[in-house]
Amino acid sequence: MVLRPYLAGQLRPLTVLLFVVVALAAPLAYYVMASQTVHEQAVGVARNIAQSMATEIRGRPVLWRYESAKLQRHLDAYLDRANTVQTVMSDGAGWRIEAGSTNTTATARHPLTWAIAPVEANAEHFADVWVGATLQPVVNQAQLLFGAFAVLAAALAGAFYWLPLRSMGHAQLQIQGLFQQLQQSQHALHELNENLEQQVTERADQLQTASVALQTKERTLRELSTRTVAAQTAERRALARELHDSAGQALTAIRIHLQRLSDQAPPGSLAEQVGRRTIGLADAAMDEIRRVVDRLSPAILDDLGLVPAIRRSCEDFSERTGIEIDYRVEGIDPLPGNTENRTENRTESCIEGRTGSRMESSIETACYRVVQEALTNVARHAQASSVEVALAVRDTSLRIIVADDGLGFDPRATCGRTRHGLHGMRERVMLLGGTVDVQTTLGRGTRIEVNLPTRPSVGHV
């Protein structure tokens, strides 16, 4: 810290100037004024001497005309009364007359201030009186004043120089203390920063470990979910096969037997009527079994695959409801051959060509059910005139879009009600690692986009 030396360097010239001004101002002023006063006194003395001599000359003009020595004697007589001045006279012819004085030698060694007065009588110039008044008392008094004011100037200059330095010294000590505190705070802040960085690193490691554990748990949960879905699909398929093979065949045999009994019974008899009604019940039971089997495991998926099954479902929906469906499959090159079988071959080429083999049965079933549920919602609520169903298969993903031009709905107004269809759709897709995006606006229809991996995100069962 260089504040005190810097301030001292700035104060030294000011201190010297203050000392000079205070020490010399009053003595110089006194010397000038006192010298003026002594000079005025000398002028008065010279005029008095000249007037006295002029009076004697007018009384005895003959005696003063030729002998200038008389002037000297008269001047000596006058100077006996004033011995503190030195007087010189020149006569009318211009000759200088030195007047004697008892203190002439002493006054000659001291500084003098001279005053001149002419001696004139009867309109004639006889002589000039020169009076020199000593300034030694003035000088002595000025020296005394200089000594006193020099002491005062030294005190003022010392105070002017010392007090700011003293204050600056205290301020410098405080600044140094603050600077040390700042350094200590910076050091503590640096240590805190290092500790914080260490804590952040540790927390990041902990978060990373927790993230890895969470990802592991998520993969395990997804694997369990996938296995659960696969197990449910396998169980439904087995149950559907069991119903189709056992109950379906049994009902078919019962219907055949009933048909034979009804044919052998007399026409119009009770046996024939009961047989016909029982055949109708058997047909209804077989239709119900087919619907249950279709819900449990659509046979069309196993027979034709996903794309033809969705196409067949769209055609059935259009025939049943009269709503036009625009079914599109993107990114598939047409195959040569029979026009009737070209679309079916093309879709099978898409599924098998891009994925290398058919997708997992759980994924195909989920896609099929999503399209079925979306079309069911359109038939129940949308009041649409046309529906667009698009299927796009990429290397590792499958995208399905179902869009209608119906009434739409307000998600905020319906968030309190349970929409089982959309809720079940989301659950089914999320279990397989996919996403469902529903975009709808009142009066502008609804668009459902589903993205699924062509293979499960974990090892398939």
Side-chain angles (χ1 to χ4, degrees), residues 121 245 362 425:
D245 294 341
S362 58
M425 187 186 303

Side-chain angles (χ1 to χ4, degrees), residues 415-426:
C415 61
R417 298 201 302 261
T418 303
R419 289 186 172 269
H420 297 286
L422 292 178
H423 184 67
M425 187 186 303
R426 283 195 174 92

Side-chain angles (χ1 to χ4, degrees), residues 252-427:
T252 301
I254 291 173
R255 187 184 186 285
I256 292 174
H257 293 318
L258 288 175
Q259 183 67 40
R260 291 177 62 184
L261 292 175
S262 178
D263 292 340
Q264 293 177 1
S269 63
L270 180 61
E272 182 190 13
Q273 294 177 2
V274 173
R276 296 296 180 186
R277 287 196 296 268
T278 307
I279 290 173
L281 293 175
D283 290 338
M286 290 180 64
D287 292 337
E288 185 64 26
I289 289 177
R290 290 193 193 97
R291 285 194 295 270
V292 172
V293 169
D294 184 68
R295 291 180 181 177
L296 290 175
S297 177
I300 191 172
L301 287 176
D302 298 331
D303 298 336
L304 301 179
L306 176 63
V307 177
I310 293 178
R311 182 187 301 108
R312 182 68 59 82
S313 179
C314 292
E315 292 173 354
D316 294 341
F317 175 82
S318 182
E319 293 177 0
R320 187 174 67 255
T321 61
I323 300 175
E324 181 183 356
I325 293 184
D326 180 14
Y327 177 63
R328 294 183 294 106
V329 179
E330 300 178 1
I332 302 173
D333 298 329
L335 298 176
N338 190 356
T339 305
E340 297 179 358
N341 299 328
R342 184 172 296 172
T343 305
E344 182 176 349
N345 294 333
R346 182 176 59 191
T347 54
E348 291 175 356
S349 174
C350 172
I351 297 299
E352 297 178 3
R354 291 183 178 273
T355 61
S357 61
R358 288 189 58 172
M359 290 181 291
E360 293 290 338
S361 60
S362 58
I363 295 178
E364 291 185 350
T365 303
C367 294
Y368 184 76
R369 294 304 187 191
V370 164
V371 174
Q372 275 191 332
E373 183 63 34
L375 293 177
T376 302
N377 289 337
V378 172
R380 289 179 179 176
H381 310 291
Q383 300 181 16
S385 60
S386 64
V387 180
E388 176 188 355
V389 178
L391 174 65
V393 181
R394 300 293 183 261
D395 292 336
T396 58
S397 64
L398 171 65
R399 183 180 65 182
I400 298 176
I401 298 176
V402 179
D404 65 76
D405 59 353
L407 299 178
F409 62 93
D410 187 0
R412 293 174 298 179
T414 58
C415 61
R417 298 201 302 261
T418 303
R419 289 186 172 269
H420 297 286
L422 292 178
H423 184 67
M425 187 186 303
R426 283 195 174 92
E427 284 186 349

